[in-house]
Structure formats: C-alpha cells, structure tokens
Amino acid sequence: VVPVFEVTEIPAMAVMEFVEGTSLNELRQRGALSNWRDILTGMSSLAQIIHSSHRLKERVLHRDIRPSNVMLRNCWGNTIDWGESEVVVLDFDLSYYVDGGDFSILSAESDSGYLAPEQMDRNRGESTRNARVDSFGLGMTLFFLLSGRKPLPMEHRHVDWATSVAIASKGIVSREWRSLPARVARLIAECTRDAQASRIDVAECVRELGRLKEACLDPRSVVSTEMIVEEMASIAFDGRYEWDSESKCAGWRLGGEAITIAPEQGGDMVKIGFSWSSLSGENFKSVKAWLPNAKSALESLLRENGWRMSSFIDTARLTGEAKINVNDLFGNVHLHAKTLRGVRDKLSFNM
C-alpha cells in the first residue's frame, strides 16, 4: 500500500510516496496484462493486499478498488517482470476503518461501474462498512482486465451480464488449464452478485485466485480434487459441460447419453457415472444387440486405466459407474480426461 507521509488542511494536501510504474488501467489499454499468467499473478497479489488490510485491528476497507487505483511498481513496458514489479494499492479516499467516518466523495466523473450497489444506493438497507464491498471491486477489476473495457454503472444487473463475463473469460486462451476461463467467470459472478450477503468474501477470492494462479503456472502441482474433476470434464467434453458448485459435479448430456464426474463424499475417491437410454424411434433390436458390446467396451476401457467398474443393462438402458483414488489423478489429468472422453465416445452408438 502506498504510504502517506503528511496531511494538512491548509493548504488542503496529502503527501504520499511517488510510485514509479504504471497503473493496471494503462497497462491493459496498451496491450499488457493480456495473458492468464499476468492477470492471475496481479489479481492474486491485489486480493492478498486487500485481505491483509481487512485483517488489521483498524479493519481498513478500501471501497474504491479499480484498475486506475492499482499500480505495478517498476513496470513501464508491455511485458511484466514479476521478479522486479510489485502491486501497489493507491487512493484510500473512500476507505473506512474502525472509529473512522463513513463519508463517500464521488465525483461526477467517477467510474461507478466498479462501486458496489450499496455504495450507489444508501437506501438498500445494506452496510457500506461490509468487507464484501471490496469483493465487488475486485470482481469488476478482474472483468476489466479480461474484457479491456470499464464496466457500466450497475452492469451486473443486466440480463446479459453472465454472457458478457463468459465471453470476456473465453477471450483469453488457456492452454495450461482448460477449465480456467469457466472458473474465472464464476468467480466474477460470485463477487458481483447484487445482494451483498450472497457475494463471496475477499478471503475466498484470495483462495480461488491463488489456486487458479497455481494451475496456470504449474498444472502438475494441482491437488484440489474439485479442480481436477472440472479440468477432466473440460478436456473430455470440449468445454461443453454443466458445473454444480454445491456438489462439485460436472455433467454432460446429449440425447439419451449422460455422464457425470464428481468427488465422492469423504474426498478420497472420484466417481464417474454414465447412462445410455433408448429414445423413441430407435430400433429396439439394434439397441439390444449393441448394449452388451458397449458394456464390455466401457468396462475394458475403464479397468485398463485403473478405474474400478460396475455396470448393468436393463432392457434398453445401460448404466454404470467407476471409481478411482484421487491420488491416482494427481499429475495425470490429461490421461484420465482421455479415458473420460473414451466413455463419451463409446456411449455414442450408431444404430
């Protein structure tokens, strides 16, 4: 955080450290901060700084997090050397701390898209002294770094907000960790929920940004079961899957075919569930002839790759599940994603 050396009323003046570097706003506008490594490294540091200020005995809330209020010290070009550059947070004009006043000075030129809705409307019955005000600013700053544009005032209420976030996230290619754009889009959505109580707090932002940064920089080091489950689904299903945040389950469905992958309760095992059901109009004799072969092929594929398999056929329906110890997945995500893709392919019968 930039230190303040002196404050006087006459003349009205605040003397602060001069930071040699560039703001996140300027860096993004000139084409830097255009890859996941730099975006996640910068955002992870920013979230940690804000979380640290919340944990002080004075409980300092910034309440005006935006790209123009964050600088990278010792950074001037279009590339970032994280060995030399560091994140510095500026401008605590709207901040709140224990025993401090709660005054907000907003100019007509203020980029209000970064401000939480309770800061814009004091009649909502929600406190502007809540740490989730800063969660909102972090989410909108991350959106700016992805999209390259400032969020509009109250844009999080637009019907197409989720679509805008998803498009912005998918606009940056992630070869190291395929599910990263989807997870970042969810993080932004969770930070920018309209109701203050439903937003995630800054501590959760710190944890998720740290895990995503780790996945980007060193994919083989990831040991989060839910992240591995989602990554397998993203690779196997070409990004076309549904994610249940509560159960940490990824699902894929096409016609009568359905596959799920999720951690088992307890966390030691990961389970694949699959089913194939005959749809109306299909030739029953063909279905009956194909199902035993499909069952045999699925069992062979899964067992060859270390999964414990069980399945059964019921008339015109094939269902089954397979389990594996999560430790066998660490460092082998692509191998087992290929197995999961094989399950999908073998469920796609040609009648």
Side-chain angles (χ1 to χ4, degrees):
V1 174
V2 63
V4 176
F5 299 129
E6 184 179 357
V7 178
T8 63
E9 291 188 14
I10 304 176
M13 177 179 68
V15 182
M16 294 175 284
E17 178 190 21
F18 177 71
V19 180
E20 295 191 72
T22 312
S23 73
L24 298 189
N25 187 55
E26 294 172 302
L27 283 167
R28 184 63 178 85
Q29 288 180 343
R30 68 190 190 201
L33 287 167
S34 57
N35 61 71
W36 284 114
R37 172 185 174 272
D38 289 339
I39 289 171
L40 292 173
T41 300
M43 283 300 305
S44 182
S45 294
L46 173 59
Q48 288 178 49
I49 292 167
I50 298 302
H51 183 46
S52 295
S53 75
H54 289 183
R55 296 174 65 194
L56 295 171
K57 64 178 182 179
E58 296 86 359
R59 193 172 169 268
V60 180
L61 311 181
H62 190 280
R63 304 198 304 180
D64 194 19
I65 300 169
R66 63 185 69 218
S68 58
N69 286 343
V70 183
M71 293 186 70
L72 288 189
R73 191 194 303 272
N74 299 326
C75 181
W76 297 276
N78 293 333
T79 58
I80 301 171
D81 180 355
W82 289 105
E84 295 291 331
S85 299
E86 66 176 350
V87 174
V88 182
V89 180
L90 320 172
D91 196 351
F92 281 75
D93 287 352
L94 300 186
S95 66
Y96 168 79
Y97 54 93
V98 173
D99 296 328
D102 186 15
F103 302 104
S104 291
I105 305 171
L106 300 177
S107 71
E109 303 300 321
S110 176
D111 294 330
S112 58
Y114 294 100
L115 298 177
E118 57 268 27
Q119 293 177 278
M120 304 293 292
D121 179 7
R122 294 301 186 94
N123 296 318
R124 288 168 55 96
E126 295 175 331
S127 174
T128 60
R129 302 179 181 185
N130 189 296
R132 286 180 170 87
V133 170
D134 282 343
S135 298
F136 192 93
L138 287 169
M140 285 301 185
T141 296
L142 181 51
F143 173 74
F144 169 81
L145 294 183
L146 298 181
S147 65
R149 70 169 179 84
K150 299 175 183 178
L152 301 173
M154 298 297 184
E155 187 172 356
H156 69 288
R157 292 181 179 173
H158 292 190
V159 293
D160 61 349
W161 172 238
T163 301
S164 298
V165 172
I167 291 172
S169 296
K170 292 177 182 177
I172 301 177
V173 177
S174 175
R175 295 184 178 87
E176 295 82 9
W177 199 257
R178 291 271 296 276
S179 57
L180 197 153
R183 293 189 72 95
V184 171
R186 286 203 303 273
L187 177 60
I188 294 174
E190 290 168 352
C191 285
T192 59
R193 287 174 179 155
D194 193 62
Q196 185 182 86
S198 67
R199 284 177 223 145
I200 63 172
D201 62 26
V202 174
E204 291 175 279
C205 292
V206 170
R207 283 193 292 271
E208 180 66 358
L209 286 166
R211 296 196 303 174
L212 295 176
K213 174 186 169 184
E214 175 189 40
C216 180
L217 298 181
D218 187 9
R220 293 186 66 85
S221 68
V222 175
V223 293
S224 165
T225 305
E226 61 144 314
M227 288 187 69
I228 288 173
V229 163
E230 185 169 7
E231 182 67 1
M232 287 174 59
S234 184
I235 296 169
F237 307 138
D238 302 313
R240 295 188 290 271
Y241 63 95
E242 296 294 328
W243 179 255
D244 186 323
S245 295
E246 187 172 338
S247 63
K248 311 303 181 188
C249 175
W252 173 87
R253 179 179 293 275
L254 180 64
E257 305 158 32
I259 301 174
T260 60
I261 177 170
E264 269 212 318
Q265 202 166 14
D268 293 335
M269 306 293 289
V270 169
K271 180 174 71 174
I272 294 173
F274 60 86
S275 65
W276 185 94
S277 299
S278 178
L279 300 177
S280 60
E282 292 173 336
N283 186 294
F284 180 74
K285 289 184 178 180
S286 297
V287 170
K288 192 174 181 180
W290 271 99
L291 287 182
N293 292 334
K295 176 178 179 290
S296 177
L298 284 164
E299 290 177 345
S300 176
L301 170 70
L302 287 160
R303 285 174 177 154
E304 283 175 5
N305 289 283
W307 294 77
R308 296 203 297 270
M309 171 75 185
S310 61
S311 64
F312 66 91
I313 300 172
D314 180 12
T315 313
R317 178 179 171 84
L318 168 64
T319 64
E321 67 176 33
K323 300 179 183 180
I324 196 169
N325 191 288
V326 67
N327 292 326
D328 294 331
L329 301 179
F330 296 155
N332 294 306
V333 174
H334 281 268
L335 171 65
H336 291 286
K338 185 177 178 181
T339 302
L340 188 59
R341 183 188 289 270
V343 172
R344 184 198 68 176
D345 293 343
K346 291 184 186 303
L347 285 177
S348 301
F349 307 139
N350 289 316
M351 299 302 177

